Structure formats: structure tokens, C-alpha cells
Amino acid sequence: NAGVTQTPKFRVLKTGQSMTLLCAQDMNHEYMYWYRQDPGMGLRLIHYSVGEGTTAKGEVPDGYNVSRLKKQNFLLGLESAAPSQTSVYFCASSYVGIMQPQHFGDGTRLSIL
Amino acid sequence: GQQVMQIPQYQHVQEGEDFTTYCNSSTTLSNIQWYKQRPGGHPVFLIQLVKSGEVKKQKRLTFQFGEAKKNSSLHITATQTTDVGTYFCAGPSNAGNMLTFGGGTRLMVKP
């Protein structure tokens, strides 16, 4: 039982490049989330999804896009990477409702030069 | 908007000492969750508190939800090196559509 799997684990990009982070969960969870974690700032929600085919903006959505074409997958895209997007990105999933415990992946450490 | 603040930001303790982290919200919360993140790891759900004044225990960890449901605390008795990590509280946003995480308290334990 893998839980929540994120790929890649590390990536270095140049300013202006694009990339997609993949999140896959095998717990049949309806809700999925993308967070970024910066030193001393806790976790900030970028985008989330309450079910297949749905997405919604979180606290810090600018510069990111997401897609949830399949229930088990949630993709986070950076169209034109900027140094301010250097961060650790965590994907999480949960059963229906934000009162449900969230299960996190191991994270993707992204550096943008 | 709703804010969740945690204090202290950092705490060094000697192994065997007690530790407490506090979480304060600017608004009343319907519930609060606590997570632990080991160094280099990912957040792991610990517990959820729902009722006013609720107290829950997990071995050496004691979680409390304030009477006004605007604050919460996590107390660890007799810390061990395995307790090292960052502890986060999280509460629902005002719109109720997402969790807002506090900045976390990083606990360091000297053996």
C-alpha cells in the first residue's frame, strides 16, 4: 500500500522553464491537495480538488495550474518557473471533507535558478 | 482572513523535560487538527479535536481544545529524542473549504 506518491522527488529548473509534478494516491480518496512549504511559514495551500474533474484555488494559486483527470492523480504545473517558486511541494489526499485527516506524500524539493 | 498562529517557533529541551506548543486562532474553529513532521519528512496526522474543552491523550502527548474553541495546545511529557520534529496545528478556513496551517513549532531534544 503506497499511500500518496509524488514524482519527482527533486528537480532543478531554470527561470522560465515549465514542469509538471505528479501526485498519485491509492486510497480511493475524493479530496486531493497541493501545498508548498517554505522555511518558517508552515504549509500553504496552492490548489485542491474535491473530486475527479474538479479543481479550486487555495491560498497561493498564482503561477500554478492543476488538473484532476483521474480520481487517483492530481497534477501540479508550473508554466513559467520563477525563483520565488523554489520550495518543497507536498501533495495530500483525504476522504470527503476538510475535517478528514490528510495523508501526505514525501514531497518534491524544487529549486529554480 | 482567518489566521492560525503557533508559539513558540522553536524549542530546545533536554531529554526528559516537558514541552508545550500553543496554537491560537483569530476566529472560532469548528475543529482543530495536529500534525507532526520529522526532519526531512512529511506531515503526519496526529489527532483531531472537535468539542469545546476537549482533552485527548496519546501516550505522552496531551492535546487540549480551548473552551472558546479559539486555541489549542499540545503537551509532551518527558520528551524523548524520537519526539524531534515540527508540530503543526491546522484549522478550517472561514469559508470552511480548506485547512489553514499554523507556522509550526520545531522541537529539538538534546540527549
Side-chain angles (χ1 to χ4, degrees):
Chain A
N1 190 348
V4 179
T5 303
Q6 290 184 235
T7 52
K9 295 192 184 305
F10 305 94
R11 187 72 184 268
V12 178
L13 290 178
K14 294 181 179 179
T15 298
Q17 286 185 318
S18 63
M19 80 160 296
T20 300
L21 280 65
L22 173 63
C23 178
Q25 54 95 3
D26 63 2
M27 295 174 283
N28 202 32
H29 285 165
E30 286 293 335
Y31 283 34
M32 296 187 75
Y33 316 82
W34 275 107
Y35 293 91
R36 60 177 289 173
Q37 185 174 38
D38 302 295
M41 297 190 69
L43 294 150
R44 292 183 292 168
L45 184 65
I46 304 170
H47 286 281
Y48 65 101
S49 168
V50 300
E52 181 179 312
T54 74
T55 63
K57 294 180 180 180
E59 300 172 75
V60 288
D62 294 342
Y64 305 94
N65 57 75
V66 287
S67 65
R68 183 106 181 262
L69 298 179
K70 292 183 178 181
K71 183 177 182 178
Q72 63 268 32
N73 296 336
F74 196 26
L75 278 64
L76 177 70
L78 285 73
E79 291 184 346
S80 180
S84 60
Q85 294 177 305
T86 293
S87 189
V88 180
Y89 291 85
F90 286 101
C91 175
S93 69
S94 74
Y95 290 111
V96 174
I98 66 163
M99 291 181 65
Q100 297 297 323
Q102 294 187 13
H103 299 259
F104 285 80
D106 289 338
T108 295
R109 188 173 297 275
L110 183 61
S111 294
I112 300 165
L113 307 177
Chain B
Q2 188 251 26
Q3 288 187 334
V4 177
M5 308 296 291
Q6 275 187 261
I7 54 171
Q9 192 171 2
Y10 303 95
Q11 183 86 57
H12 283 89
V13 299
Q14 195 73 39
E15 188 173 20
E17 291 181 338
D18 292 356
F19 159 78
T20 304
T21 173
Y22 299 92
C23 181
N24 297 294
S25 170
S26 55
T27 59
T28 301
L29 301 171
S30 60
N31 71 94
I32 194 159
Q33 298 181 7
W34 285 91
Y35 291 78
K36 176 184 178 181
Q37 183 177 21
R38 295 183 186 276
H42 59 272
V44 175
F45 174 81
L46 293 177
I47 208 159
Q48 179 174 271
L49 305 172
V50 179
K51 299 176 183 177
S52 170
E54 188 170 14
V55 178
K56 286 188 177 180
K57 292 189 175 184
Q58 288 180 350
K59 297 183 180 178
R60 295 177 294 104
L61 277 61
T62 301
F63 302 85
Q64 289 189 314
F65 202 8
E67 294 290 341
K69 301 183 78 173
K70 294 180 73 173
N71 57 74
S72 181
S73 65
L74 159 58
H75 179 83
I76 302 178
T77 304
T79 55
Q80 299 176 358
T81 55
T82 53
D83 296 323
V84 164
T86 302
Y87 293 85
F88 294 98
C89 63
S93 64
N94 286 339
N97 60 339
M98 63 183 80
L99 277 182
T100 299
F101 281 80
T105 296
R106 183 180 172 188
L107 172 63
M108 290 155 280
V109 179
K110 291 176 284 188

